[in-house]
Amino acid sequence: MSIHEADALNSRAAEVADWLHSAIDIPGFLLGTMPHQESTQEIHFGIPSTLTEPMGKEIYQKFFGPRAVSIGPIHHEKPHVKPMEYFKRKAVMELAERVKDDVSIEKVYARVEEQLLKTRKFYSPRFEQTSDPMWCLMMFLDACFIIEFICNDNIITSCRRSWLNVKKRDRDLVRHDLLLYDNQLPFQVIDALARAFRCEEFTLDLLTTRFLQMPLLNISSAPSPTFLDYIKGVSCLQRQQGEA
């Protein structure tokens, strides 16, 4: 490698370090970056437009839109989910603090950056305009939030940490949002991040299973549809598509 190439690589690494640590407010040093490789795979997260377009924005938001937190790019820019971005950064700091004696946040990010970039192939091409650094930051924060929230939301660890200091109804809204089809991350990203943070594999699997086995959420106080309404809406939509 020439001196010019080495200088360019170091400059790029410093640039990535700046945006990563400015986002989570943790002192940092140089990070490596992985080149973005395009993929021709056409498997995308999200409800097909052939289903969402006939229902209109109001019905879509009623049944499929998040109420408290966005995960992934589909709802990322919506104003009503922006307040939860603070807690995403809090999640990164909590995770980094617990493992600081074993692994640095720089090494954690370096280990998962390639996986973060690969997630582009799972989403619509309309998000290609998002730069690689901003895409990685979004995915990194969202995955950290999911790991930390599930750990805090589970009865096994609920007495150990309580950084998510919100009302029970708001926690229920977050749990609701994490189950939405249009509000997902590829599990391999969460798994890779948990390994990078040196979380025990069986613990992540156990907590995820327990999270999914919890009773249906009690958020009837909110002006929102019931789960039965949701099922009826989806069934009606499928019948309409079949008759078309």
Side-chain angles (χ1 to χ4, degrees), residues 3-32:
I3 296 178
H4 177 72
E5 290 173 334
D7 289 342
L9 183 61
N10 289 335
S11 175
R12 172 61 177 157
E15 179 184 347
V16 173
D18 285 343
W19 65 252
L20 175 62
H21 290 284
S22 65
I24 60 179
D25 195 28
I26 298 175
F29 52 87
L30 299 183
L31 293 178

Side-chain angles (χ1 to χ4, degrees), residues 39-57:
S39 172
T40 58
Q41 187 171 350
E42 297 295 336
I43 300 176
H44 296 150
F45 277 9
I47 303 170
S49 58
T50 53
L51 294 177
T52 59
E53 288 177 358
M55 70 176 69
K57 291 183 178 180

Side-chain angles (χ1 to χ4, degrees), residues 149-156 158 171-172 175 179 207-217:
F149 183 84
I150 290 178
C151 289
N152 277 271
D153 202 47
N154 192 272
I155 57 174
I156 294 177
S158 59
R171 291 175 64 86
D172 285 346
R175 290 176 58 207
L179 298 175
L207 294 180
T208 303
T209 301
R210 286 181 176 270
F211 176 82
L212 294 174
Q213 289 176 343
M214 286 181 179
L216 291 177
L217 311 181

Side-chain angles (χ1 to χ4, degrees), residues 58-67 169 173 176-177 180 216-234:
E58 183 177 349
I59 295 179
Y60 171 83
Q61 183 60 35
K62 180 179 180 181
F63 290 109
F64 303 107
R67 304 169 196 177
R169 176 182 172 275
L173 289 175
H176 163 274
D177 290 348
L180 293 175
L216 291 177
L217 311 181
N218 181 18
I219 51 178
S220 57
S221 59
S224 57
T226 64
F227 186 72
L228 182 58
D229 291 334
Y230 171 86
I231 297 298
K232 289 180 178 178
V234 173

Side-chain angles (χ1 to χ4, degrees), residues 51-163:
L51 294 177
T52 59
E53 288 177 358
M55 70 176 69
K57 291 183 178 180
E58 183 177 349
I59 295 179
Y60 171 83
Q61 183 60 35
K62 180 179 180 181
F63 290 109
F64 303 107
R67 304 169 196 177
V69 62
S70 67
I71 300 296
I74 297 177
H75 301 285
H76 182 70
E77 296 299 328
K78 294 186 177 178
H80 73 282
V81 297
K82 287 300 181 182
M84 195 59 67
E85 293 299 307
Y86 163 80
F87 291 105
K88 292 180 182 180
R89 286 159 174 78
K90 182 70 172 175
V92 179
M93 290 188 284
E94 289 286 331
L95 286 168
E97 179 66 22
R98 288 202 301 274
V99 301
K100 65 180 181 180
D101 294 334
D102 299 318
V103 61
S104 68
I105 188 67
E106 292 82 12
K107 290 183 179 179
V108 169
Y109 178 82
R111 290 172 182 172
V112 301
E113 187 180 40
E114 184 177 7
Q115 289 287 346
L116 298 176
L117 286 170
K118 285 182 177 179
T119 60
R120 281 186 178 274
K121 66 184 179 182
F122 295 111
Y123 296 94
S124 168
R126 76 176 188 268
F127 300 115
E128 290 180 353
Q129 61 183 351
T130 304
S131 66
D132 283 351
M134 294 308 299
W135 180 272
C136 289
L137 175 61
M138 174 180 63
M139 290 293 170
F140 187 73
L141 293 177
D142 288 356
C144 287
F145 177 84
I146 291 174
I147 293 173
E148 189 69 7
F149 183 84
I150 290 178
C151 289
N152 277 271
D153 202 47
N154 192 272
I155 57 174
I156 294 177
T157 58
S158 59
C159 295
R160 189 178 65 186
R161 299 187 298 275
S162 59
W163 64 265

